Amino acid sequence: MIRVLACIGLVACGTNGDRTNDPQIPPRGDRDLSAWLDAGYYLAWRCQPDRHMPQGPSPHPSARICSNELIYAASGDAPYAVGAATVKELYDGDAITGFAVSHKVAADSPGGWYWYEANPAAVVDGTGAPVCLECHVGAAHDYVWTMAP
């Protein structure tokens, strides 16, 4: 696996301590977030019933997206609240082969979004990650392409 770790901007890579087990707020940092995803905490969120092909100019394969309650609390075109997050299960056939996570960690956008992706080819981990922003800058609502199941 090629590892691309990009700790850019607002936060440093590393542990989030007591937030690792919070089912509504994903931690930051490859180690803690991987453990949180493996534990399935995001499955308590609202998840799309089936996987689908990506929207927009996405490089992702078929996916199923789960969104936390702060995504649903958004009103109209207003930016999402700090803490809003999505987890995208990435599929190859019937198997989950990776995850892509977006988590709003500060009010400013796009720099206020923490991006994480782990798949068989790479890991991207950081705030303002350029590889994620290349696609998400075109999303209609606060850098998130899909918000609801």
Side-chain angles (χ1 to χ4, degrees), residues 76-141:
D77 291 336
Y80 291 110
V82 171
T86 65
V87 171
K88 184 180 297 184
E89 299 170 333
L90 307 174
Y91 285 84
D92 183 4
D94 291 333
I96 295 174
T97 58
F99 295 94
V101 176
S102 60
H103 175 200
K104 190 152 188 186
V105 296
D108 66 319
S109 288
W113 284 94
Y114 168 76
W115 307 96
Y116 175 85
E117 182 172 348
N119 64 55
V123 172
V124 175
D125 182 4
T127 304
V131 69
C132 298
L133 286 175
E134 288 175 15
C135 294
H136 283 268
V137 72
H141 189 203

Side-chain angles (χ1 to χ4, degrees), residues 47-51 64 149:
C47 297
Q48 295 173 325
D50 298 306
R51 60 185 185 267
R64 182 178 82 130

